[in-house]
Amino acid sequence: FFPNFDHQRKEPPGPRPLPVVGNLLQLDLKSLHSSLYELSKKYGSVFTVCFGPQKMVVLAGYKTVKQALVNYGVEFGDRLINPVGKELGQAVLFANGELWKEMRRFALSNLRDYGMGKKAAEEKIIEEIQYLLQEFESKPFSVTKSINYAVSNIISAIIYGSRFDYSDAQFQQMVNRANETIQLSGTPSLFNLYPWLFQWARNKMQLCKNVAENRKQMKLLIKRLQETLNVEMCRGFVDSFLAHKRKLEDSGMTESYYTIEILVTTVGNLFAAGTDTTGTTLRWGLLFMAKYPHIQDQVQEELSRVVGSRQVRAEDRMILPFTDAVIHETQRLANILPIALPHVTTTDVTFQGFFIKKGTPVIPLLTSVLWDETEWEKPQVFNPAHFLDKDGKFVKRDAFMPFSAGRRACLGESLARMELFLFFTSLLQRFRFTPPPGVKEEELDLTPALGFTLMPMPQDLCAVSHEGF
Ligand code: HEM
């Protein structure tokens, strides 16, 4: 005879679910993060929503998200492997346990070796900026493609050891497919829940096709590197992986995580996680500049006063506090990964008095952190002053958490931050960003487009070259 304590287990509150659909009718699936944010105002910082039959716990507000991901890092630290995750394969993004631990450790230490957060990455970015600048002209254009190609080339250079030409058809396909895959995996939040629904079947087919074609292409690139591998002189991440694989095999280890399939998945993960995110943030930055010309004036005044026309370097961040604040504010307000990537509990856990069962999907609602009304003075306004003190010095803010926190936090953060800083400043040094002729600043649309990452609506901008630069 065991006493039944179930009645003492208080589960997080939430809206009453209906049979089959759960709370789906109460959620705006086109803007899921906004709906969840609204619900958090009613149900508090830990609440349950039912996506059809699937119960999920939402964590809201800076204090709660931080407490869960950092103080209860292990309990809330696994990744939810949804159907999209299954399709992409297991390595760093969608994996748990020993495989994830080993691949995350290997990826982090090798990305660092190939320059992440260091001089080597700075040189790669500065080289890439010269190519990007050539793409910009003073006519209305969509900045999306060239920016995506430029940021993809940084991770490509780190992974493969060399960049691609923007006109290389294979490279274009690879970038476009990676970005499309990310958008497809988000558009139907439902696809992740009801993979059998007819209306998502087409998306799923396209997604599978993209994943298969990307894998084929990556395998080809890897094969070429394998044929010319010199373990004493690794050119990039792939070489390091292959060298490690060979070392294990030479030592007689026949079974390990170092297989070509896992290498392909890891490379695909880094490529997908590292390009759409950074490119989207940069595009938001340029859009905010075109929308708020008085802020653009201040950035350009600071850049011309402090660095003039020389190439901006990573160390200049310290002496460009206003520009740094603008980049932080861009990430805060753009909120490009509003629900991060869903986690799952690794064990039964009692959190803030609520019982959450092992295996419960958890959404760290980053929107509610980046727009937390108790943390930010003007959460809905583009206000670089959030990151400046009264003397104009840059101030760090705890609730600035676009890369999430804890053991699943973004592993490319330092690379992304360097890319954002160098690309943004170099573009602003040379160009003035404006709406196209005949369009007023007020008409520029800040409503995000539907997708997994919140990206700006497709719209043209003008990049007008600074006179005399
Ligand atoms: C995970 C944000 C750029 C690689 C994540 C997560 C967020 C994020 C919110 C999910 C964290 C969680 O589950 O709690 C961003 C933003 C970026 C960016 C805003 C750019 C502005 C990059 C870059 C790379 C990268 C450049 C590659 C070098 C990854 C990987 C993961 C991840 C591999 C999965 C980590 C894991 O599950 O252990 N990122 N990221 N990200 N990011 Fe980034």
Side-chain angles (χ1 to χ4, degrees):
F1 171 79
F2 295 100
N4 181 356
F5 290 117
D6 268 3
H7 64 283
Q8 293 174 358
R9 293 175 158 188
K10 194 166 73 164
E11 290 196 3
R16 184 187 294 276
L18 295 170
V20 187
V21 290
N23 300 119
L24 285 176
L25 302 180
Q26 289 130 291
L27 298 170
D28 174 4
L29 293 169
K30 292 207 174 103
S31 185
L32 181 61
H33 67 108
S34 312
S35 285
L36 295 177
Y37 191 32
E38 285 311 309
L39 287 176
S40 74
K41 292 180 183 161
K42 184 161 178 199
Y43 294 100
S45 54
V46 186
F47 63 97
T48 310
V49 274
C50 295
F51 292 82
Q54 176 71 72
K55 251 190 207 177
M56 289 204 181
V57 166
V58 181
L59 304 170
Y62 162 65
K63 291 196 173 69
T64 298
V65 173
K66 172 99 188 278
Q67 187 186 18
L69 299 187
V70 177
N71 303 357
Y72 289 72
V74 173
E75 290 86 337
F76 288 102
D78 264 3
R79 174 75 63 226
L80 174 67
I81 318 263
N82 54 20
V84 172
K86 286 199 187 110
E87 216 53 62
L88 293 178
Q90 304 210 358
V92 196
L93 264 179
F94 291 104
N96 291 311
E98 284 306 311
L99 168 62
W100 164 74
K101 213 182 261 177
E102 181 62 24
M103 285 305 125
R104 182 170 167 113
R105 189 198 57 73
F106 186 84
L108 254 178
S109 84
N110 280 281
L111 288 182
R112 284 201 195 105
D113 285 353
Y114 291 104
M116 187 168 82
K118 290 200 221 145
K119 268 263 171 280
E122 187 181 5
E123 296 309 330
K124 289 185 176 95
I125 299 166
I126 288 173
E127 183 195 337
E128 196 59 43
I129 284 166
Q130 309 316 318
Y131 293 99
L132 179 62
L133 289 173
Q134 288 166 21
E135 295 286 302
F136 280 57
E137 302 163 27
S138 64
K139 61 175 170 30
F141 74 122
S142 157
V143 293
T144 310
K145 280 230 153 72
S146 32
I147 285 191
N148 282 348
Y149 294 157
V151 294
S152 297
N153 256 338
I154 304 303
I155 195 77
S156 296
I158 289 176
I159 291 175
Y160 299 113
S162 58
R163 68 180 295 279
F164 296 88
D165 201 275
Y166 296 168
S167 59
D168 178 335
Q170 283 221 335
F171 175 62
Q172 291 183 354
Q173 281 168 1
M174 202 158 77
V175 176
N176 298 343
R177 274 199 301 258
N179 291 336
E180 193 182 81
T181 305
I182 294 206
Q183 292 317 312
L184 283 173
S185 55
T187 339
S189 315
L190 272 180
F191 161 53
N192 282 315
L193 304 159
Y194 293 112
W196 38 266
L197 268 188
F198 175 72
Q199 67 214 80
W200 305 123
R202 247 190 29 201
N203 276 344
K204 183 177 173 172
M205 259 167 54
Q206 184 62 36
L207 189 124
C208 295
K209 203 169 137 230
N210 279 357
V211 172
E213 279 173 10
N214 264 357
R215 287 189 80 89
K216 206 165 105 194
Q217 202 170 8
M218 286 186 287
K219 271 191 185 155
L220 211 68
L221 290 167
I222 289 171
K223 191 162 166 268
R224 274 189 222 142
L225 290 173
Q226 211 168 5
E227 284 162 3
T228 49
L229 178 70
N230 173 358
V231 293
E232 302 302 327
M233 279 188 34
C234 288
R235 293 156 291 193
F237 179 85
V238 169
D239 279 6
S240 290
F241 192 102
L242 293 171
H244 193 69
K245 178 175 181 293
R246 190 179 288 176
K247 199 168 119 196
L248 293 179
E249 285 163 359
D250 289 349
S251 71
M253 194 183 271
T254 49
E255 287 216 353
S256 81
Y257 295 129
Y258 292 83
T259 65
I260 295 295
E261 287 305 316
I262 290 180
L263 172 57
V264 172
T265 307
T266 309
V267 167
N269 281 183
L270 294 174
F271 202 80
T275 60
D276 189 66
T277 45
T278 316
T280 298
T281 309
L282 260 175
R283 282 160 53 213
W284 275 115
L286 301 183
L287 180 59
F288 285 137
M289 292 303 95
K291 178 98 181 163
Y292 305 118
H294 61 289
I295 297 181
Q296 186 172 189
D297 288 342
Q298 284 170 271
V299 172
Q300 288 177 327
E301 185 282 321
E302 186 180 66
L303 282 168
S304 100
R305 176 169 44 81
V306 179
V307 287
S309 58
R310 73 165 165 84
Q311 173 62 53
V312 179
R313 314 289 313 197
E315 73 229 21
D316 293 327
R317 189 191 285 275
M318 315 284 276
I319 49 172
L320 293 168
F322 188 80
T323 306
D324 199 13
V326 164
I327 297 171
H328 279 73
E329 184 63 355
T330 297
Q331 284 204 270
R332 186 195 69 77
L333 192 63
N335 175 34
I336 64 156
L337 279 172
I339 58 169
L341 289 171
H343 291 212
V344 68
T345 46
T346 53
T347 168
D348 286 357
V349 52
T350 300
F351 180 68
Q352 294 191 358
F354 298 114
F355 175 77
I356 306 169
K357 242 168 86 171
K358 174 179 174 172
T360 305
V362 174
I363 294 180
L365 188 59
L366 294 185
T367 302
S368 67
V369 180
L370 296 171
W371 301 354
D372 189 331
E373 285 162 14
T374 63
E375 294 287 331
W376 305 98
E377 294 72 31
K378 296 179 185 166
Q380 303 297 333
V381 176
F382 187 77
N383 174 34
H386 282 138
F387 295 93
L388 294 167
D389 69 9
K390 60 177 185 1
D391 302 318
K393 289 211 180 76
F394 181 83
V395 275
K396 275 193 177 164
R397 299 293 298 263
D398 290 340
F400 178 75
M401 217 193 257
F403 298 100
S404 193
R407 69 175 194 165
R408 298 309 291 234
C410 177
L411 72 72
E413 173 172 349
S414 54
L415 178 65
R417 281 165 48 77
M418 192 186 274
E419 285 186 51
L420 291 177
F421 179 71
L422 292 175
F423 278 123
F424 184 77
T425 51
S426 302
L427 289 171
L428 268 275
Q429 256 184 326
R430 281 144 183 99
F431 297 106
R432 177 98 190 149
F433 290 88
T434 66
V439 178
K440 295 199 185 78
E441 280 105 27
E442 310 82 84
E443 292 170 73
L444 287 176
D445 192 355
L446 295 184
T447 323
L450 175 66
F452 183 64
T453 45
L454 297 183
M455 49 168 64
M457 288 283 182
Q459 58 200 311
D460 287 350
L461 289 182
C462 278
V464 185
S465 183
H466 281 319
E467 268 176 42
F469 191 85

